[in-house]
């Protein structure tokens, strides 16, 4: 009989399905994109025709890094992947507006950046939906308790305290030997001392 591991947290469910690995990959991608946007804001602005918007690009980089750190450090990355989706919407809106305003020589670069962001957004949405779906499902329906003691077919389980006394036919538990050897109650059983 195959044993099924009980899933105790949403992180266990995500890890088992592989969506956790995808979310962690998106977290690493966020860190990398954020670093590029922070360190290369000026060249990016020049390439996209966004001169004078370097601070906005740096802000987007800082946002990406914060989302990446949150995804990688969270037990359940679901809300942080949805935050990535929201950031993608902001990026798409910015690039779409810039596409319409861009100089014809820069329009191809903006189109390429917009296509890249749209592709990443598809991955973000798919991962966020998968994580959300897993959070709504029961964690485990096939919990196998056969390895736990006390079930039929597992033999006699040693018992302690009152249970052992009752199993041996006594009405009260035995006095521990260290009480008797010290002479407490004159070495008599507690019930006899009264």
């Amino acid at each position: 009989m195959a044993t099924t591991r009980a899933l105790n947290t949403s992180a266990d469910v995500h890890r088992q399905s592989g969506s956790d690995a995808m979310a962690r990959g998106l977290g690493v991608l966020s860190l990398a994109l954020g670093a590029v946007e922070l360190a290369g804001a000026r060249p990016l602005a020049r390439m996209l025709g966004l001169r004078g918007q370097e601070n906005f690009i740096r802000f987007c980089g800082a946002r990406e890094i914060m989302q990446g750190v949150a995804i990688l450090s969270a037990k359940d990355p679901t809300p942080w992947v949805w935050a990535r989706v929201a950031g993608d919407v902001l990026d798409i809106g910015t690039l779409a507006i810039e596409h319409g305003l861009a100089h014809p020589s820069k329009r191809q670069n903006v189109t390429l950046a917009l296509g890249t962001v749209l592709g990443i957004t598809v991955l973000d949405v798919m991962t966020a939906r998968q994580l959300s779906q897993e959070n709504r499902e029961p964690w485990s329906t096939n919990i196998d308790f056969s390895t736990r003691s006390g079930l039929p077919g597992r033999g006699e389980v040693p018992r302690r305290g009152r249970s052992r006394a009752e199993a041996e036919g006594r009405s009260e538990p035995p006095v521990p030997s260290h009480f008797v050897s010290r002479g407490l109650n004159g070495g008599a059983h507690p019930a006899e001392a009264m």
Side-chain angles (χ1 to χ4, degrees), residues 61-74:
R63 183 198 74 219
E64 287 284 351
I65 289 174
M66 287 188 297
Q67 289 170 341
V69 168
I71 288 170
L72 293 173
S73 63

Side-chain angles (χ1 to χ4, degrees), residues 9-58:
T9 66
S10 59
D12 289 338
V13 173
H14 300 320
R15 231 182 264 91
Q16 187 181 39
S17 71
S19 59
D20 183 67
M22 185 64 179
R24 305 294 168 196
L26 290 173
V28 171
L29 178 65
S30 282
L31 293 175
L33 286 173
V36 167
E37 289 174 341
L38 277 177
R42 186 165 290 148
L44 275 172
R46 199 171 335 133
M47 182 185 79
L48 297 172
L50 294 172
R51 287 185 193 248
Q53 299 297 320
E54 290 85 0
N55 286 337
F56 178 73
I57 292 173
R58 287 185 189 102

Side-chain angles (χ1 to χ4, degrees), residues 10-193:
S10 59
D12 289 338
V13 173
H14 300 320
R15 231 182 264 91
Q16 187 181 39
S17 71
S19 59
D20 183 67
M22 185 64 179
R24 305 294 168 196
L26 290 173
V28 171
L29 178 65
S30 282
L31 293 175
L33 286 173
V36 167
E37 289 174 341
L38 277 177
R42 186 165 290 148
L44 275 172
R46 199 171 335 133
M47 182 185 79
L48 297 172
L50 294 172
R51 287 185 193 248
Q53 299 297 320
E54 290 85 0
N55 286 337
F56 178 73
I57 292 173
R58 287 185 189 102
F59 164 77
C60 291
R63 183 198 74 219
E64 287 284 351
I65 289 174
M66 287 188 297
Q67 289 170 341
V69 168
I71 288 170
L72 293 173
S73 63
K75 287 184 180 180
D76 180 11
T78 307
W80 302 109
V81 175
W82 280 114
R84 267 190 60 79
V85 172
D88 292 342
V89 170
L90 175 69
D91 295 343
I92 290 168
T94 302
L95 289 169
I97 290 169
E98 186 56 37
H99 189 270
L101 301 175
H103 188 272
S105 65
K106 302 291 184 184
R107 192 165 286 149
Q108 184 177 2
N109 292 344
V110 175
T111 302
L112 180 63
L114 186 58
T116 302
V117 171
L118 285 169
I120 291 171
T121 302
V122 169
L123 289 175
D124 288 345
V125 169
M126 287 173 40
T127 303
R129 290 185 67 194
Q130 178 67 30
L131 290 167
S132 294
Q133 177 67 29
E134 290 168 2
N135 284 343
R136 283 192 297 271
E137 292 175 357
W139 289 336
S140 177
T141 55
N142 300 327
I143 300 174
D144 182 9
F145 291 105
S146 65
T147 59
R148 299 224 177 150
S149 62
L151 292 177
R154 291 291 171 190
E156 190 80 22
V157 178
R159 295 181 272 172
R160 297 185 179 114
R162 190 165 300 279
S163 299
R164 181 177 287 158
E166 290 172 3
E168 293 172 357
R170 293 181 304 210
S171 60
E172 60 274 320
V175 175
S177 61
H178 63 276
F179 285 146
V180 175
S181 64
R182 290 186 188 162
L184 295 177
N185 297 330
H189 193 276
E192 296 169 5

